[in-house]
């Protein structure tokens, strides 16, 4: 893997898209090792600290891919199908309790859902730029409002509260929530990266500013109200703002696609999550 990254760095100055994906993949693996196996007490916290850079780097690469692909529908479909698959597994665990680890833990990874929603939003932004206001507003507003609309429907129409209906609503329709991977701040980060995509310096600066303002300033002010809070905890516990450092690597992007390995990255994301989860289950049973 190190050889692959080195090769990508040598393809002109800076990092290619594939080089960024390799870096993001390594950081993601570290993050998910901590996420899945932290119950052991064996995995250091800095695994997840470094992992905070992973999602923004992948998000940056998706912005580039969506911007330059020759077939946006095909590009969206690949991501959407993975989103439906992984959301289906999540619903089985969350709604039906199937496959949940004995301690109640189950993986809530939903970056593919965020990517699916963002592609719709980005297309809506482009339609608005083309003065196609009807479909543009629909593409921007409906995905953002869907969780609220869904909650209202389930509240006022009890007949819809069937497990099957809920399962379809949260899988077939990409739905953001309050997890770290598929939450509103991730969508806002993606919008910032897309809006400023034509100027790399402004794009990186806007991304860094958003990450610091939301995760450091805003969330910092929220958690500061907790008992026994100390500001050093922003570096040891509430370190989501470390993702801002991904902006530095974005500035190293040289605008080239690189070697690709497209199928590997699509397959690796869900595969490693469920393999790690299965191994964590086995280890939990062994230790308990």
């Amino acid at each position: 893997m190190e050889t692959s990254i080195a090769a990508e760095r040598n393809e002109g100055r800076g990092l290619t898209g594939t080089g960024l994906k390799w870096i993001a993949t390594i950081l993601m693996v570290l993050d998910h090792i901590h996420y899945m196996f932290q119950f052991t007490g064996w995995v250091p916290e800095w695994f997840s600290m470094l992992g905070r850079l992973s999602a923004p780097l992948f998000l940056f690469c998706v912005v580039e891919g969506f911007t330059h692909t020759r077939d946006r529908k095909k590009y969206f479909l690949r991501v959407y199908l993975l989103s439906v698959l992984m959301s289906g597994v999540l619903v089985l665990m969350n709604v039906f309790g199937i496959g949940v680890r004995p301690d109640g833990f189950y993986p809530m990874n939903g970056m593919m859902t965020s990517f699916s929603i963002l592609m719709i939003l980005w297309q809506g932004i482009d339609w608005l730029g083309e003065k196609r206001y009807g479909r543009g507003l629909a593409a921007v507003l409906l995905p953002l409002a869907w969780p609220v609309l869904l909650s209202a429907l389930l509240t006022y129409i009890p007949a819809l509260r069937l497990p099957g209906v809920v399962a379809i609503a949260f899988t077939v329709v990409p739905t953001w929530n309050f997890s770290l991977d598929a939450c509103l701040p991730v969508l806002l980060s993606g919008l910032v990266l897309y809006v400023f995509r034509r100027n790399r310096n402004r794009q990186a600066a806007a991304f860094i500013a958003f990450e610091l303002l939301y995760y450091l300033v805003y969330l910092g002010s929220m958690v500061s109200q907790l008992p026994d809070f100390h500001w050093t905890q922003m570096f040891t516990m509430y370190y989501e703002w470390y993702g801002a450092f991904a902006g530095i690597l974005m500035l190293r992007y040289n605008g080239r696609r690189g070697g690709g390995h497209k199928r590997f990255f699509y397959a690796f994301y869900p595969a490693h999550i469920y393999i790690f989860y299965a191994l964590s289950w086995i280890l939990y049973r062994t230790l308990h």
Side-chain angles (χ1 to χ4, degrees):
M1 189 173 292
E2 290 81 358
T3 303
S4 298
I5 297 174
E8 296 300 338
R9 290 180 64 93
N10 290 329
E11 188 177 325
R13 296 183 60 185
L15 291 163
T16 65
T18 303
L20 285 174
K21 289 178 183 177
W22 278 117
I23 293 172
T25 298
I26 293 171
L27 298 176
M28 176 180 68
V29 168
L30 291 176
D31 185 31
H32 289 166
I33 289 174
H34 181 266
Y35 179 54
M36 301 287 186
F37 298 95
Q38 60 181 319
F39 69 90
T40 65
W42 302 339
V43 185
E45 192 76 28
W46 61 264
F47 273 39
S48 277
M49 292 178 178
L50 290 175
R52 295 307 89 200
L53 280 69
S54 176
L57 289 177
F58 277 124
L59 187 52
F60 173 83
C61 291
V62 173
V63 168
E64 286 296 300
F66 185 80
T67 300
H68 299 293
T69 184
R70 297 178 181 178
D71 191 338
R72 287 188 172 183
K73 290 182 179 179
K74 186 176 180 180
Y75 190 84
F76 169 79
L77 185 60
R78 286 195 297 264
V79 174
Y80 171 73
L81 290 177
L82 279 176
S83 171
V84 172
L85 171 65
M86 298 188 72
S87 295
V89 173
L90 182 57
V91 166
L92 289 176
M93 295 178 177
N94 181 272
V95 177
F96 300 99
I98 299 174
V100 177
R101 207 168 65 190
D103 62 346
F105 173 86
Y106 56 90
M108 298 183 65
N109 305 87
M111 281 307 296
M112 290 299 171
T113 297
S114 289
F115 293 160
S116 297
I117 297 172
L118 280 168
M119 288 184 195
I120 298 172
L121 298 177
W122 296 337
Q123 186 60 59
I125 290 173
D126 287 351
W127 280 334
L128 290 174
E130 298 168 1
K131 299 183 179 181
R132 302 165 75 176
Y133 298 117
R135 63 176 59 189
L137 287 173
V140 170
L141 297 179
L142 288 178
L144 294 176
W146 173 240
V148 179
L149 295 174
L150 178 59
S151 178
L153 288 172
L154 295 177
T155 299
Y156 294 107
I157 308 178
L160 295 178
R161 299 177 193 171
L162 299 173
V165 175
V166 174
I168 292 174
F170 282 96
T171 56
V172 176
V173 181
T175 306
W176 62 270
N177 49 61
F178 295 100
S179 67
L180 288 179
D181 282 352
C183 60
L184 188 58
V186 172
L187 300 183
L188 294 177
S189 294
L191 289 175
V192 168
L193 287 172
Y194 193 74
V195 168
F196 291 95
R197 68 191 182 281
R198 293 186 177 88
N199 186 303
R200 188 75 62 230
N201 291 333
R202 291 179 183 176
Q203 182 188 41
F207 169 78
I208 292 172
F210 173 81
E211 293 288 295
L212 294 178
L213 286 173
Y214 184 84
Y215 290 110
L216 184 60
V217 178
Y218 172 70
L219 288 187
S221 67
M222 295 294 103
V223 298
S224 66
Q225 308 302 315
L226 298 175
D228 302 322
F229 173 82
H230 191 277
W231 280 103
T232 58
Q233 293 174 350
M234 296 304 299
F235 297 88
T236 59
M237 293 178 61
Y238 308 105
Y239 48 77
E240 195 68 25
W241 66 272
Y242 284 5
F245 290 103
I248 299 173
L249 291 173
M250 294 174 191
L251 289 173
R252 294 291 298 153
Y253 176 56
N254 61 17
R256 298 183 181 182
R257 177 183 175 185
H261 311 298
K262 177 172 61 179
R263 293 182 179 179
F264 168 80
F265 292 115
Y266 279 117
F268 183 79
Y269 180 70
H272 89 281
I273 288 173
Y274 299 128
I275 290 173
F276 282 180
Y277 182 56
L279 292 174
S280 77
W281 186 306
I282 294 172
L283 185 57
Y284 184 87
R285 285 293 195 184
T286 302
L287 296 176
H288 296 80

